[in-house]
Amino acid sequence: MPTFEVRKTDLAARLGYLKTKSGVVETPAVLPVIHPFNQIVKPIEMERMGYNALMTNSYLILKKSKAIGRTFEVHDLLNYKKTVMTDSGAYQLLEYGEVDTTPEEIINFETNIGSDIGVILDTPTGLTRNKKRAEETVSKTIDAAIRSIPLFKDKNILWTGPIQGGVFYDLIEKSAKEMSKLNFDVYALGSPTQVMEQYDLEQLLYMILAAKRNLPLDKPLHLFGAGHPLTLPIAVALGCDLFDSASYILYAKRGAYMTESGTKYLDDLKYLTCECEVCSKYFVGELKNSKDRVRLLALHNLHVLSREIKSIKQAIYEGRLWEYVAAKSRAHPRAWTAFKHFSKIKEYLGEGTPLFKSCGLYLCSTPDEHRPEVENAYKRLIRNIKINKKSLVVYFSKTNDHTFLYNLRNTFEKEVGMNSEEIQFCVAPLPIAIAPIEVCDIYPFSQYDISLPLDKEMEKMSIRKFKQFLSKYKFKKVLLIDHSNDKYKQIINWFTKEKTIQAKKVVTDRQTERILKEFTSL
Amino acid sequence: MPTFEVRKTDLAARLGYLKTKSGVVETPAVLPVIHPFNQIVKPIEMERMGYNALMTNSYLILKKSKAIGRTFEVHDLLNYKKTVMTDSGAYQLLEYGEVDTTPEEIINFETNIGSDIGVILDTPTGLTRNKKRAEETVSKTIDAAIRSIPLFKDKNILWTGPIQGGVFYDLIEKSAKEMSKLNFDVYALGSPTQVMEQYDLEQLLYMILAAKRNLPLDKPLHLFGAGHPLTLPIAVALGCDLFDSASYILYAKRGAYMTESGTKYLDDLKYLTCECEVCSKYFVGELKNSKDRVRLLALHNLHVLSREIKSIKQAIYEGRLWEYVAAKSRAHPRAWTAFKHFSKIKEYLGEGTPLFKSCGLYLCSTPDEHRPEVENAYKRLIRNIKINKKSLVVYFSKTNDHTFLYNLRNTFEKEVGMNSEEIQFCVAPLPIAIAPIEVCDIYPFSQYDISLPLDKEMEKMSIRKFKQFLSKYKFKKVLLIDHSNDKYKQIINWFTKEKTIQAKKVVTDRQTERILKEFTSL
């Protein structure tokens, strides 16, 4: 029985179950980071909010343990029975430059305190631009991994192998390849915290990709330190399964209130734009002046993160993750920049995207024309459809209702008889494709909603596809029926100017008799 | 003292206070519609959620009153002390074709039951395509208004004048002009329910505009029947202040769960993507099977509407309404289509948009280049800036940090001396503008974040502005410093090909000495 089971995928995201000795964690999941000895929000409260896994720091427990000369069981310490992941002290290494322990000691200690998911003592790369230094961190981490593995004696613990390399994608790739060989239960991408603090989500995207493409697909990927409501959907879409973050409390301590698209300082708020237990009880002024402010803000922030993860999971479940990420990313130029790069990694995102979906396809603006669903549908069409007819009737509509074309074909069959066999009828839900009437009820050629008129990028793509279609089948005669009310104007203009077709015409008529007349006179 | 006071505006939206005899209603506001005799969610519960005004139906109370031969006071009837708006029976007229009352009777009845905001008995146009029929409804409504006014005896009641005209914009305009003359306290746009049910938000936009442009600005505009989370932000941005909707309960009755971007059937949900009192207590399965399902769904839906209105108000307060509407609309092609039309009504939206804002300007993709803030800044620049220098140094950067250009100017002044007076230094935060260094710290020329590279529409606009700048000031010598890392490639390519400038060069150097050398050698 595998410890990680994927139930559903969309883009590179997965809905999955990770089994630990303390229970099942549904992924994607955010693990709130809690201080082992000083918790402003108690683990039991987090459990009540639906958090089935937490992250705490084994190095801090180790230090305390040494100082007072007693051992702890981590679940007892936290008064929390569900999954506890323990970090190794790498964060302290990044922050303070050194830690007073060894890889071996940490592994044994994490084992002894009963951690469910342990992390080896890695050496975070951080944001250094010094490649030599970055390379060292990768090597040190791999060395630590090799020293740690023989100590993995408790088979009930899942062990995490961190991938380092910082902003050097080749080092991340190397790191991922080497760590993969060591067969960890969980992989983790190290220390993108500083990249995220600078809001460089474009860089984060390529960091995740460099790791993900070199890691086994049947293992979850953890992203260290990600807990921002705009970062999470993008990171999940790229294939991250687990996150840990202290953002809820760090933000709270500086008076920052999380929203669906970022954080706002309490002082800039006039309204609490949330319906959680805190926000439905307090007015913004009361919250500002409360002695309990940090705690209340932390609770609220945890609710926002919980809602975010649930929304992401629901979007994967429905097959609407692309749309969800698009709408979220539209709130900030940096997130939008990262989202635009989805068009450059469409093959990667296409692997996990189902070929058929039960929900319709929404296309708003670029880069929606690069959605895996569009790519997949277009490729299927190009590969599988053969047309040997002489004439083409192509129907442009402003809706996805193709009844008119069915009726037209019937009239043609009645009136033109056998000759209608020589005519190929097609619908034109561009920028998806030009699709033969025979397949136009198959997803997504009728199951879509497109914002018209198209933007320039979508227009370009549409003309490219129209061109490809015409040049492939070399029709002698093309009749274009335009019921789009000028919504496809530029594309139809292109067609009008196109010179390779011998006989062609554009009609806007709605009377089948007249259309038939126009066709026969061509 | 005015009954409606506007505190803050953004786009055509207003944050305001409407005073009624039972209290103050902060606008924009959604008034939940409740049945006077059968309430699944009680008015007192709505009050607890923060709803300070409700809508109920005076016609239904009138019928009951006649049937049982007793009168009611509407606040007592509902057990609700805050503002109650009463509809007149026009909905029943639309649904059933007739009502058993007269305009006069309804006015007197609304007065007697103690309504805070009354509505005259109008004749809704509905979705008819028959213009003659639509014209009749406009005339009938105006007639009813004229008959009603002499009966407005209780000066404490605010009276609402409905605007009809259906989908005929000229009729809406006529209706709005005529009703304006009658000096109502509140105006209302009638019966767009069917337009909204068809999700035709583009049409709704032009309906609202036709009304709004012909109504007094100091009165609130109510939009009848709007209670969808994607419709609300768009309608508020266009200038609607009040809404009433039974959506929360209608959706609940058919098992539909409201989300931030629409509704989903409970059967399609695996997760409750909300943190309200209902969603934090139940799992989705429990909610589905609960005997109390309709009520629980209605409560949840009311929470979603409440959060939506608070988010909209916060966005107006911060001056981020454009961004808020953009992100919301990106969730559905029909909403996106409506939002794209914002570029066509930018003057209208600009009137309420402050010239200076304390938050930075976010530009993601088209139509953001048409944001009123961009339009305003560009116009101010074109009008007020005179440049009489011979040479131009223009700086393209991928961030809004212009320190480099300040330093460069200093070097030029030291090295070139007096001649540097002849050089105009500019930053190029396109698609906003080319801005002289002297004003580049003024909003928004340094207070922005732009998603780069630009999309095609933004690129086009940028080139147009660059062109206009160059042709206006006729520099003899232009040095373009490109530190954008190819992010402004197309625009710089255009510049390279541009033939009207005698001497020009593009440099990507970061060393001021070299840049100086390139400049002097020009």
Side-chain angles (χ1 to χ4, degrees), chain B residues 16 127 145-146 163 182 191 208 320 379 424 466:
Chain B
L127 201 56
I146 293 171
I163 312 301
L182 302 177
S191 52
I208 293 172
R320 292 207 171 279
K379 273 190 213 150
Q424 177 62 52
F466 198 178

Side-chain angles (χ1 to χ4, degrees), chain B residues 246-380:
Chain B
S247 60
Y248 71 99
I249 187 73
L250 299 176
Y251 289 147
K253 283 182 179 169
R254 50 177 198 254
Y257 177 93
M258 234 185 242
T259 73
E260 57 198 355
S261 61
T263 57
K264 295 186 197 300
Y265 286 102
L266 259 192
D267 285 340
D268 297 330
L269 282 181
K270 194 165 177 225
Y271 308 91
L272 299 178
T273 57
C274 172
E275 295 292 302
C276 80
E277 53 175 330
V278 176
C279 299
S280 57
K281 226 179 279 161
Y282 293 86
F283 285 109
V284 64
E286 295 167 344
L287 190 54
K288 266 182 214 172
N289 297 320
S290 168
K291 274 184 292 184
D292 229 12
R293 202 187 63 185
V294 172
R295 185 181 138 75
L296 291 171
L297 271 176
L299 280 169
H300 158 79
N301 290 344
L302 281 166
H303 277 294
V304 173
L305 284 177
S306 167
R307 187 170 78 219
E308 187 53 44
I309 280 291
K310 286 189 286 181
S311 300
I312 292 171
K313 289 198 285 196
Q314 178 64 26
I316 301 171
Y317 179 74
E318 284 180 62
R320 292 207 171 279
L321 189 60
W322 177 283
E323 286 152 33
Y324 184 76
V325 176
K328 292 282 297 190
S329 304
R330 195 56 175 69
H332 197 288
R334 305 287 178 92
W336 188 252
T337 301
F339 175 62
K340 283 193 293 185
H341 279 268
F342 276 28
S343 66
K344 298 189 179 163
I345 55 168
K346 52 195 176 189
E347 284 80 18
Y348 172 77
L349 297 174
E351 285 165 31
T353 307
L355 289 183
F356 298 94
K357 288 185 168 180
S358 56
C359 63
L361 193 60
Y362 287 168
L363 303 179
C364 290
S365 68
T366 194
D368 287 357
E369 73 276 23
H370 297 288
R371 280 185 72 146
E373 297 89 338
V374 174
E375 294 281 326
N376 288 339
Y378 187 67
K379 273 190 213 150
R380 278 200 320 273

Side-chain angles (χ1 to χ4, degrees), chain A residues 303-504:
Chain A
H303 277 293
V304 173
L305 283 178
S306 167
R307 187 170 77 219
E308 187 53 43
I309 282 290
K310 286 189 286 180
S311 299
I312 292 170
K313 289 198 284 194
Q314 178 64 27
I316 302 171
Y317 180 73
E318 283 179 62
R320 292 208 171 277
L321 188 60
W322 178 283
E323 285 151 34
Y324 184 76
V325 176
K328 292 282 296 189
S329 304
R330 195 55 175 70
H332 196 288
R334 305 289 179 92
W336 188 252
T337 301
F339 176 62
K340 282 192 294 185
H341 280 267
F342 277 27
S343 66
K344 298 189 179 162
I345 55 166
K346 52 194 176 190
E347 284 79 19
Y348 172 77
L349 297 174
E351 284 165 30
T353 307
L355 290 182
F356 298 94
K357 287 185 167 181
S358 56
C359 61
L361 193 60
Y362 287 168
L363 302 179
C364 290
S365 69
T366 193
D368 287 357
E369 73 276 24
H370 296 288
R371 280 185 73 146
E373 296 90 337
V374 173
E375 293 281 325
N376 287 339
Y378 187 67
K379 272 190 213 150
R380 278 201 321 274
L381 212 59
I382 290 289
R383 262 191 228 129
N384 303 330
I385 300 291
K386 310 238 174 304
I387 301 174
N388 292 309
K389 299 184 181 173
K390 282 183 196 152
S391 306
L392 171 70
V393 172
V394 53
Y395 178 59
F396 281 76
S397 165
K398 59 175 181 169
T399 73
N400 59 13
D401 182 353
H402 303 135
T403 318
F404 181 87
L405 193 67
Y406 278 113
N407 292 337
L408 186 75
R409 186 175 63 166
N410 289 343
T411 310
F412 267 60
E413 274 171 4
K414 257 188 239 146
E415 304 289 325
V416 191
M418 282 303 287
N419 285 340
S420 75
E421 301 268 304
E422 282 299 290
I423 309 167
Q424 178 61 52
F425 290 83
C426 283
V427 296
L430 289 168
I432 307 174
I434 306 276
I437 195 169
E438 293 79 7
V439 299
C440 87
D441 284 335
I442 294 172
Y443 177 85
F445 305 117
S446 287
Q447 299 77 17
Y448 65 84
D449 205 327
I450 299 175
S451 174
L452 297 176
L454 301 177
D455 65 22
K456 296 277 169 234
E457 280 87 352
M458 284 184 154
E459 231 167 65
K460 257 176 84 175
M461 167 74 97
S462 300
I463 290 172
R464 201 179 314 138
K465 287 182 176 174
F466 199 179
K467 212 166 171 172
Q468 193 175 13
F469 185 84
L470 291 176
S471 80
K472 187 170 176 189
Y473 299 114
K474 299 187 174 36
F475 299 101
K476 304 255 175 293
K477 206 165 143 176
V478 180
L479 185 73
L480 191 158
I481 304 165
D482 179 13
H483 287 180
S484 79
N485 227 345
D486 266 356
K487 299 286 185 197
Y488 278 115
K489 203 171 170 182
Q490 299 307 323
I491 296 163
I492 289 161
N493 280 351
W494 170 82
F495 172 77
T496 310
K497 287 176 196 149
E498 162 66 24
K499 281 170 190 143
T500 58
I501 307 148
Q502 298 174 5
K504 61 178 181 175

Side-chain angles (χ1 to χ4, degrees), chain B residues 125 131 134-135 137-139 142 161-182 187-190 203-216 221 345 348:
Chain B
T125 312
K131 192 158 182 181
E135 258 177 322
T137 63
V138 170
S139 305
I142 295 169
I163 312 301
Q164 296 298 343
V167 296
F168 301 99
Y169 306 138
D170 57 336
L171 293 184
I172 295 176
E173 282 170 19
K174 184 189 150 187
S175 180
K177 279 180 197 159
E178 291 300 316
M179 295 299 277
S180 292
K181 294 181 195 159
L182 302 177
Y187 291 91
L189 182 59
Q203 185 154 68
L204 180 67
L205 178 148
Y206 288 107
M207 287 171 67
I208 293 172
L209 235 71
K212 190 77 187 168
R213 282 181 161 149
N214 295 287
L215 288 170
L221 177 62
I345 55 168
Y348 172 77

